[in-house]
Amino acid sequence: MLVLLLAAPGVASAAEGLHSCITSVEGKAASGRCEGRGSFRLVASCVDGTTVDSSWHTIINSTARTKIRCRSNAVDAWIEQR
């Protein structure tokens, strides 16, 4: 089951899983960061209609960051959690 988290801090407490997930886009790049415990990946939609995603990252009571690039400009980015 995948749960989409929008860039909203405080989505869940640390005991419940990932929290404080944020995303940003600038030019061709999309960045994402989550804190807590769980697995996530960053997904971005691009101006040319493609979608790119990062590999899955698993963290345990820590913070992880990732960055991906579109061939054209990035339009939007979001975190997928499993």
Side-chain angles (χ1 to χ4, degrees):
M1 178 175 93
L2 293 178
V3 177
L4 293 179
L5 297 176
L6 300 178
V11 172
S13 73
E16 295 172 346
L18 295 176
H19 61 95
S20 300
C21 294
I22 60 169
T23 62
S24 64
V25 295
E26 184 175 337
K28 295 181 179 183
S31 300
R33 177 186 64 83
C34 282
E35 297 177 15
R37 173 186 293 252
S39 297
F40 76 96
R41 71 177 177 174
L42 175 64
V43 183
S45 59
C46 311
V47 167
D48 64 8
T50 60
T51 302
V52 294
D53 55 63
S54 70
S55 58
W56 286 95
H57 301 276
T58 300
I59 55 176
I60 300 173
N61 296 326
S62 188
T63 301
R65 300 170 194 265
T66 189
K67 191 172 190 175
I68 53 180
R69 295 185 64 80
C70 292
R71 291 183 186 188
S72 59
N73 281 342
V75 177
D76 192 17
W78 60 93
I79 298 290
E80 290 183 344
Q81 180 180 338
R82 67 173 176 186

